[in-house]
Amino acid sequence: MPVCRSHAINFNQKPKARKIAVGAVVLAPGFGKVPDSTLAKYSYGAHADVLTSLEFERLLNPSGPYQGNVLCLSDQRHPRRLAFIQCVGSRDLGCGNGYCSSVCCMYAIKEAMVAKEHDPELDITIFYMDMRTQGKDFDAAQKRAVEQFGIKFVRAKVAGVTPWGAKGLRLTYSTMDGRHRFDPFDMVVLSVGLDAPKDARKLSKLLDVELNKFDFCQTDPFHPLNSSQPGIYVAGAFQGPCDIPESVTQSSAAAGIAAGLLKKQRGMDYVVKSYPAEHDISGEDIRIGVFTCHCGINIGGVVDVPRVDKYTDGMENVVYHSESMYSCSQDAQEMLKKTIKEHNLNRVVIAACSPRTHEPLFQETLKDAGLNRSLFEMVNIRDQCSWVHANEPEAATEKSMDLIRMAVAKANRIQPLAEQTVPVTDKGLVLGGGVAGLTAALTLAEQGFHCTLVEKEAELGGNLLVIKKTIEGVETTATLKKLIAKVKKSALIEVITGAELLSISGFVGNFSSVLKVQEGKKIAEHTIDHGVIILATGGREHKPAQVLGQEPIKSKQIITQQELETRLSGKGKKRAPASVVMVQCAGSRGDDLNYCSKVCCNHAVKNALHIKEINPESQVFVLYRDIRTYGYAEEKYQLAREKGVVFIPYEVDNKPRIAKKGQKVEISFHDPLLQEDVVMQPEVIALSVGIVPQGTEILSKLLKVPVTEQKFFMEAHVKLRPVEMPVAGVYVCGLAHSPKPLNETIVQAQAAAAKAAMPLVKGSVSVEPIVSHVDQEACIGCGLCASLCPYQAIQIIKVDKKRKAETVVASCKACGICASHCPTFAISMGGFTNEQIIAQIEAFGNSIEE
């Protein structure tokens, strides 16, 4: 495996001075700590039971001071009432941080739910100004917090926290109705924001890169990872406050941009990771090692791990067993390698967390120890035992023992499996010609690879054709034209418009796609061979069947935010309405769509500021549930209020009502500040209707990739693989993945291209060994398997003039459909043979008899 040589520098240490010749630099120093002076008004530092969210995260950790138990620091008692205070050190002009830190609302919800899992008797309240759960499926998390965990959310401004009684704390806060309240709590968690790194100015001076007013790296919407210095890029929180998926995406994108810059040096300076020779276990007695993990209290807090470990003693061919606190830690991996060698283990069973995230790690450790990576079986006693049976420790423990016994039965029958590699067609296919597709194609080309860019419409540009400026005020039209011109000019990019994917066959590295292309009045078919696919099919403005719970009213006075932007981009003062009421979440977050479209609040604030710019006398009202101008967009929200834009919140159980009055329309709503019902007849009502994906259901069936309940493409892992699809060689970016603003779309496109370039750079790909295998002696050539395979991974061939099935190993995704339908049991799955599965079933049956 080739490994790029890179240099990571920790600016918190003082290394010896040395010169390093590099062609690019990626800045990823993270974020800084909110000053204690900002926290002092909440009695932080004066009362032991006032914690920051980072400290509370550590308190919840199984390796924390109380092994994950929620205890007051003052006297180790169990708190009964716990409060989270949002926006501490963010959205705070007093401390100079006028931006939103983007992550605090979601991590507060996460910590609150984890706390309730650890202590179900806790009464938790989250005090907030706006709940900014704007990410993919984030609203669902808040809904789950309320419905499943009983967590309360109170819109309020907390004035302070003071000692109360002998041990308690008292919150002083005011609510939207103007009332002042005083509530007692046992513990208070301050949801602190992300500050700029403390050495940001030092780093800026050292590298001569510009910082913004908050001391984060200065970038622009069309080049979100480029610093002011060519060749120096930024990723993570130093680019601006962001969550883990966005940080991971940015890191991939930054690496991809740097790789494009350095493509001429590709292959000139790398090292190859080597493994010891694979131990030949043929003829050896089976020697199984079983390792059971506590995972702190994630597993050990429910499952009796010592009892489970002892239970494995005496199982067939188990010669070693042990328990560990964290099996995935570096120390545990080293110990595993040492144990394999000392006890001559040739099969390994690990009972721990999800194989989805941890199996590759353990398989890599087996390879480092000289064992074939398929001589491994993993038992998920976290998700399948301790989590689902959190309130049934005895049942969780017994189930863990059952699963391990079944795994050992299978381990007695597993054999080494060979890994195969196949060559790669070093060309990409990008579906979608909006800004995501254009950026992805250009990034691939800049890395030196050919690609075909396919756009369904007659022209390139997508939604950016109708979006005239960003919320930062950057004009988009000229930049889009330059981007399109650059793509068309590239010798490595073939652009096909008026086309769509008709069919696809093959596998990662070797796809073959058929396009249906409109050529004048004729429709032609083009076949393209390529190694990877990037899905950038975009989205569109939603056309709601319901607006605020009622049928849409047809009127020229009622328009969408996108239509308002088009109107504002015209000429003359009259293009700005004299009065406008903007209604947020009109058709989303509970009406037609059950998710937040992430960009609607930014769009509304942008249009509101544009109206005020054209005609300062215009009256602009924004009715909202939560204003989600996260990140630096918070500044524009503040500016809009300073310009006279009026923001009025509404509750989901008391939505505004729109009605037609003659030739006019009126809107009625409750103003919580005035405590009155208001009726208005504005010139325009602008609806923020949300975003829906385009064409994902059809492509999902063609490519065999999953979509979410909302029909957006579902990534392989939200945090670890945010731009990869579960099908190898397929990547996703832009609105096809989820609603997002322009800068995030560009970053995700760059990241998808960076990931897609990896197999192209390597020139070959490894095929998972758990593929199907046909016993041609038993095969009767009926062809049922070939007809059922969704990946065209089985072909019928002639062997001695007889029809026989054969697996196309590189195409096989190991779904098992063929094996389960074969009438003669001629097909088996690597790592899931009939013998192994029957052994597991019998092992479970024995437990029932016992």
Side-chain angles (χ1 to χ4, degrees), residues 626-734:
D626 297 281
I627 288 293
R628 293 180 169 177
T629 47
Y630 63 98
Y632 303 135
E634 178 68 17
E635 281 194 289
K636 299 299 180 182
Y637 175 37
Q638 175 69 23
L639 179 61
R641 286 181 289 172
E642 292 172 1
K643 296 286 186 182
V645 179
V646 179
F647 292 84
I648 302 172
Y650 69 87
E651 297 297 327
V652 68
D653 56 357
N654 189 15
K655 297 178 180 179
R657 304 290 296 177
I658 301 173
K660 210 166 186 180
K661 294 293 181 181
Q663 297 299 313
K664 296 184 178 181
V665 291
E666 72 174 25
I667 183 166
S668 56
F669 56 90
H670 179 74
D671 188 323
L673 291 177
L674 299 177
Q675 286 293 294
E676 292 181 0
D677 292 330
V678 179
V679 178
M680 298 181 67
Q681 289 187 344
E683 182 182 328
V684 168
I685 295 177
L687 306 178
S688 291
V689 292
I691 294 172
V692 292
Q694 294 189 116
T696 54
E697 290 184 87
I698 295 173
L699 286 173
S700 171
K701 293 173 183 176
L702 286 174
L703 296 167
K704 309 300 185 296
V705 294
V707 293
T708 65
E709 180 186 353
Q710 297 81 27
K711 310 306 179 187
F712 292 99
F713 286 121
M714 181 185 290
E715 63 274 43
H717 191 283
V718 65
K719 292 181 180 178
L720 303 181
R721 300 169 64 194
V723 297
E724 299 171 68
M725 298 297 289
V727 174
V730 184
Y731 309 87
V732 64
C733 59

Side-chain angles (χ1 to χ4, degrees), residues 133-359:
T133 50
Q134 68 276 346
K136 189 175 185 179
D137 294 331
F138 285 6
D139 265 340
Q142 184 186 358
K143 186 178 180 182
R144 180 167 167 253
V146 174
E147 296 177 356
Q148 184 175 333
F149 291 89
I151 295 165
K152 297 189 284 290
F153 292 81
V154 176
R155 191 191 294 270
K157 181 64 177 176
V158 178
V161 179
T162 53
W164 182 78
K167 300 177 180 179
L169 296 160
R170 186 175 75 166
L171 257 70
T172 303
Y173 64 95
S174 58
T175 52
M176 290 297 295
D177 57 9
R179 296 180 183 177
H180 295 278
R181 299 176 186 270
F182 310 91
D183 283 353
F185 288 91
D186 299 302
M187 181 181 283
V188 172
V189 179
L190 307 179
S191 293
V192 292
L194 309 187
D195 215 343
K198 67 176 183 179
D199 291 331
R201 294 186 182 182
K202 178 181 176 183
L203 192 60
S204 168
K205 187 176 180 181
L206 182 68
L207 299 174
D208 196 24
V209 295
E210 294 179 10
L211 303 179
N212 65 15
K213 63 187 290 187
F214 303 115
D215 284 347
F216 292 93
C217 190
Q218 180 66 53
T219 62
D220 75 74
F222 279 94
H223 304 91
L225 302 184
N226 291 35
S227 76
S228 57
Q229 281 292 338
I232 299 181
Y233 309 102
V234 61
F238 187 43
Q239 191 265 355
C242 58
D243 59 13
I244 293 173
E246 183 64 16
S247 293
V248 172
T249 302
Q250 288 185 11
S251 65
S252 295
I257 299 169
L261 187 67
L262 307 176
K263 63 178 179 291
K264 290 183 179 179
Q265 282 73 41
R266 186 175 290 150
M268 293 175 61
D269 186 20
Y270 67 91
V271 295
V272 177
K273 180 176 180 179
S274 60
Y275 297 95
E278 187 172 298
H279 178 59
D280 182 7
I281 66 167
S282 59
E284 289 187 352
D285 292 336
I286 296 173
R287 297 179 63 82
I288 301 173
V290 180
F291 303 82
T292 308
C293 181
H294 285 258
C295 194
I297 65 167
N298 248 325
I299 294 172
V302 178
V303 175
D304 187 344
V305 174
R307 178 180 161 196
V308 172
D309 174 57
K310 186 178 180 181
Y311 179 73
T312 63
D313 192 23
M315 287 188 181
E316 184 184 7
N317 293 320
V318 173
V319 298
Y320 180 86
H321 61 87
S322 69
E323 53 186 289
S324 65
M325 186 58 66
Y326 293 101
S327 293
C328 60
S329 68
Q330 185 63 38
D331 290 345
Q333 296 302 297
E334 293 300 321
M335 183 57 68
L336 177 58
K337 286 188 279 188
K338 183 179 179 182
T339 304
I340 288 172
K341 293 174 181 177
E342 285 183 355
H343 294 270
N344 298 316
L345 303 180
N346 53 28
R347 310 287 194 284
V348 173
V349 174
I350 293 182
C353 299
S354 169
R356 184 183 179 199
T357 54
H358 288 74
E359 187 175 60

Side-chain angles (χ1 to χ4, degrees), residues 348-488:
V348 173
V349 174
I350 293 182
C353 299
S354 169
R356 184 183 179 199
T357 54
H358 288 74
E359 187 175 60
L361 171 67
F362 295 121
Q363 289 180 329
E364 184 76 4
T365 303
L366 259 67
K367 290 175 70 175
D368 286 337
L371 287 180
N372 183 284
R373 73 182 182 115
S374 297
L375 297 171
F376 168 76
E377 183 65 17
M378 191 165 183
V379 185
N380 187 355
I381 62 171
R382 183 192 67 177
D383 300 29
Q384 297 174 5
C385 298
S386 66
W387 280 6
V388 295
H389 304 292
N391 299 319
E392 304 171 289
E394 180 63 25
T397 300
E398 290 181 359
K399 186 176 180 181
S400 297
M401 294 190 292
D402 287 343
L403 291 176
I404 291 174
R405 186 175 60 258
M406 293 166 69
V408 169
K410 180 181 177 182
N412 272 282
R413 290 155 181 84
I414 57 179
Q415 296 295 328
L417 298 175
E419 292 186 55
Q420 299 187 37
T421 59
V422 294
V424 165
T425 301
D426 59 348
K427 183 178 180 180
L429 174 67
V430 179
L431 299 180
V435 69
L438 291 164
T439 302
L442 197 58
T443 305
L444 268 182
E446 287 172 347
Q447 292 218 35
F449 298 108
H450 286 82
C451 68
T452 300
L453 176 63
V454 177
E455 168 55 41
K456 189 175 182 180
E457 302 300 328
E459 64 176 320
L460 301 173
N463 287 300
L464 213 56
L465 292 169
V466 294
I467 297 174
K468 303 305 178 184
K469 63 166 65 175
T470 68
I471 191 170
E472 296 87 357
V474 178
E475 299 288 341
T476 62
T477 304
T479 308
L480 177 61
K481 287 181 179 178
K482 289 179 182 177
L483 180 61
I484 293 173
K486 196 172 182 181
V487 166
K488 289 183 175 179

